[in-house]
Amino acid sequence: SQQGEEDPQALSIQEGENATMNCSYKTSINNLQWYRQNSGRGLVHLILIRSNEREKHSGRLRVTLDTSKKSSSLLITASRAADTASYFCATGATGGGNKLTFGTGTQLKVEL
Amino acid sequence: DAGVIQSPRHEVTEMGQEVTLRCKPISGHNSLFWYRQTMMRGLELLIYFNNNVPIDDSGMPEDRFSAKMPNASFSTLKIQPSEPRDSAVYFCASSLNGMGPEAFFGQGTRLTVV
């Protein structure tokens, strides 16, 4: 079963704008990860945030985690056409080993 | 490292036939996952191995599906008999337990059952 629900399902922006995607989950986690999937390809890991962290940065990516609200957001700053892809959050459950449960994904389109 | 390698990349088969999907995880990784992706259901975890042992197979849809990991460098997912509703992209992923839970995905096998 899917743990995460992402919002919005689809997002279309202009190059240079920021893109924000949100993820909500249901159970206790020890980490939350974001992945990217280009059409017809496998998923690629972007960034991980642990349950005791509130914010993390990696290049143009910024992730926040609010465990009290069971939600996370992914911000991509200064978007580029090459950022066009689907973005998924994935949660690692407490005591679940390395098992990941994926959300429904956000389809991002960055237009020139 | 070549990453996670899946074969075949595409498979078209007739209903009722046996289908075997193959996966070679990243060398040294000790966790292996099989996922199925469809438009309707998104990404579903089918089964998860740790050190070649199946840990959680609660996502395997029914007895027609079986998965094995005979050694640390090879896993198979078998569907017998296949049905049209099994059509999906099947992904294999691996990770290194204890060093970080990031999963590395293969390119997937697109299965079409007609």
Side-chain angles (χ1 to χ4, degrees), chain B residues 43-83:
Chain B
L43 263 167
E44 302 173 278
L45 176 64
L46 300 177
I47 188 168
Y48 155 41
F49 291 87
N50 198 43
N51 294 322
N52 312 340
V53 176
I55 302 299
D56 183 350
D57 65 354
S58 58
M60 295 286 263
E62 43 196 279
D63 291 345
R64 297 184 298 106
F65 285 69
S66 63
K68 293 182 180 179
M69 193 163 185
N71 57 61
S73 58
F74 185 64
S75 177
T76 59
L77 178 67
K78 185 178 292 186
I79 309 172
Q80 166 64 19
S82 57
E83 296 182 4

